[in-house]
Amino acid sequence: MAKVLMKGNEAVGKAAIEAGCKYFFGYPITPQNEIPEYMAKELPNNDGVFVQAESEVSAINMIYGGAGCGARVMTSSSSPGIALKQEGITYIAGAELPAVIVNMMRGGPGLGGIQPSQADYFMSTRGGGNGDYRTPVYAPATVQEAVDMVMEAFEVADYYRTPVMVVADGMIGQMMEPVEFKAPKKRDLPKKDWATTGTNGERKPNIINSLFLDPQALEDHCFKLDRKYKEIEENEVKYEMYKTEDAELVFVAYGTTSRIVKNTVEALREQGIKAGLIRPITLWPFPHKAFNEIPAAKNLLVVEMSTGQMIDDVKIANEGRLPVDFFGRTGGMIPTPGEIMDKAMEVIGGAK
């Protein structure tokens, strides 16, 4: 299929439709508004339904209902809107329902601003709602990756019966890049014989629920979820190693920030400094094993559009082996290659 030039948000909408999404429930918020706009226009033309809910809380509970019927469903929002959806997301996880949730992140806390950010890392990877649950989290660095990951997210959601998040800073939603829409690798998906599709008098009613009044039943359910999350950790980790074979200074960055860091890596190598990059593609499960694949590393430098959140996972993965430094811009400010270069030189100078 030929490539087409598309804005990131619109490409996400088209990717969802190509993946078989039939129901979209959402509420407007910048910088993701083009996703619901696109879905409102195109989903009805593809045998689907678009509903603009009265609030983010309503939208995520509509997702619960649509997923419970066995349909492929998606919602999208931006940071404070995703925060409002957290109660619904934990219900969806607790009820083991497949759904795709897209977050085009903006600055916070609170209402914050409308410029790009990566300050929702904790909310995304730690389970922003209550209880023992996790959600797979994909972090695209390009519009093409956003397309590919949205399509894969539907497969993963159905395979594991879990909500899946795709998180990107607002720049990816607003930038235009050439993309192509290739079908994701199909999985051997289980039948949705749990869905509430009506019995026709042929079976007992299916019950979808996340309430367990018997503590033993709830513990059994949580252990069942935990086994599923361990399987996801075993099978669904994705990451990129960029020029790390001989790198003595190894950056860790994701999303748009990783693209900026790659420019810094090239600039450092032009000066004879061996630099490389670990780029987590899944933020959860986090690519801990990548940190065993940097034999020449002397220092780690984490770069984020936040005051430092992913750095916690980097420290866990590093297991105290290497010094870990940090550089971040936040509130919608974007780090420049020059700023990152200055921090890198400071780290290298301090290591000598």
Side-chain angles (χ1 to χ4, degrees):
M1 183 178 180
K3 289 188 176 182
V4 293
L5 185 66
M6 294 189 74
K7 178 177 276 193
N9 282 333
E10 295 177 343
V12 164
K14 180 171 175 57
I17 292 173
E18 292 286 332
C21 177
K22 292 301 180 185
Y23 299 92
F24 180 95
F25 308 103
Y27 188 80
I29 183 172
T30 305
Q32 64 84 55
N33 280 331
E34 292 86 355
I35 300 176
E37 287 176 2
Y38 185 90
M39 299 300 268
K41 179 181 178 181
E42 297 296 336
L43 198 52
N45 297 328
N46 289 271
D47 195 31
V49 174
F50 167 87
V51 176
Q52 179 175 309
E54 62 267 35
S55 70
E56 289 89 350
V57 175
S58 295
I60 196 64
N61 282 285
M62 292 176 185
I63 289 291
Y64 184 108
C69 295
R72 282 196 162 180
V73 297
M74 186 177 87
T75 189
S76 66
S77 192
S78 184
S79 305
I82 294 292
L84 286 168
K85 294 177 190 280
Q86 290 302 322
E87 179 186 53
I89 294 172
T90 183
Y91 284 13
I92 292 167
E96 295 190 90
L97 296 176
V100 175
I101 301 150
V102 176
N103 181 6
M104 292 295 176
M105 295 181 285
R106 63 188 242 179
L111 288 175
I114 63 172
Q115 302 302 321
S117 172
Q118 294 179 324
D120 294 351
Y121 184 94
F122 284 158
M123 181 169 68
S124 302
T125 61
R126 294 313 192 254
N130 63 294
D132 288 318
Y133 81 97
R134 307 299 289 265
T135 55
V137 182
Y138 289 90
T142 66
V143 176
Q144 181 65 63
E145 282 193 347
V147 165
D148 296 340
M149 290 177 190
V150 164
M151 298 177 91
E152 184 173 3
F154 280 99
E155 292 289 305
V156 171
D158 278 347
Y159 187 81
Y160 292 102
R161 283 185 61 184
T162 185
V164 178
M165 297 195 72
V166 180
V167 302
D169 62 82
M171 272 190 292
I172 290 175
Q174 294 298 316
M175 69 172 62
M176 296 186 73
E177 291 185 326
V179 295
E180 58 183 336
F181 296 86
K182 301 173 290 186
K185 181 180 178 182
K186 294 295 182 182
R187 299 179 182 231
D188 185 14
L189 298 177
K191 292 182 179 180
K192 295 184 177 181
D193 52 10
W194 45 263
T196 53
T197 55
T199 68
N200 291 323
E202 298 173 357
R203 60 167 172 81
K204 292 183 179 180
N206 288 333
I207 297 174
I208 291 174
N209 184 35
S210 65
L211 177 64
F212 297 84
L213 295 180
D214 179 353
Q216 184 61 64
L218 179 55
E219 184 184 52
D220 292 345
H221 181 65
C222 289
F223 284 151
K224 176 188 174 186
L225 293 177
D226 189 57
R227 289 191 294 273
K228 174 166 64 178
Y229 300 144
K230 284 181 169 59
E231 184 180 353
I232 293 171
E233 288 181 303
E234 181 68 26
N235 298 322
E236 304 299 335
V237 178
K238 292 181 179 292
Y239 59 96
E240 177 190 7
M241 306 295 284
Y242 183 74
K243 299 191 174 181
T244 55
E245 297 85 355
D246 63 344
E248 296 180 356
L249 174 64
V250 177
F251 292 93
V252 189
Y254 70 95
T256 300
T257 307
S258 69
R259 297 172 67 164
I260 302 169
V261 167
K262 284 183 178 179
N263 290 330
T264 306
V265 167
E266 296 302 326
L268 287 167
R269 284 187 169 267
E270 287 176 4
Q271 296 186 26
I273 298 170
K274 296 176 180 178
L277 167 69
I278 295 174
R279 177 172 74 98
I281 297 173
T282 53
L283 303 185
W284 190 86
F286 191 75
H288 293 88
K289 61 184 178 183
F291 294 82
N292 298 325
E293 301 171 9
I294 45 174
K298 296 179 180 178
N299 293 84
L300 297 174
L301 177 52
V302 182
V303 184
E304 303 179 56
M305 283 194 282
S306 74
T307 55
Q309 296 187 20
M310 181 180 67
I311 189 173
D312 286 7
D313 281 331
V314 172
K315 288 178 178 178
I316 292 170
N318 178 51
E319 296 181 333
R321 290 170 291 192
L322 300 170
V324 180
D325 289 279
F326 176 78
F327 180 78
R329 300 296 303 272
T330 192
M333 299 299 291
I334 302 165
T336 67
E339 291 172 335
I340 300 170
M341 172 78 83
D342 290 343
K343 181 63 179 182
M345 299 306 290
E346 174 189 322
V347 169
I348 294 167
K352 290 181 179 179

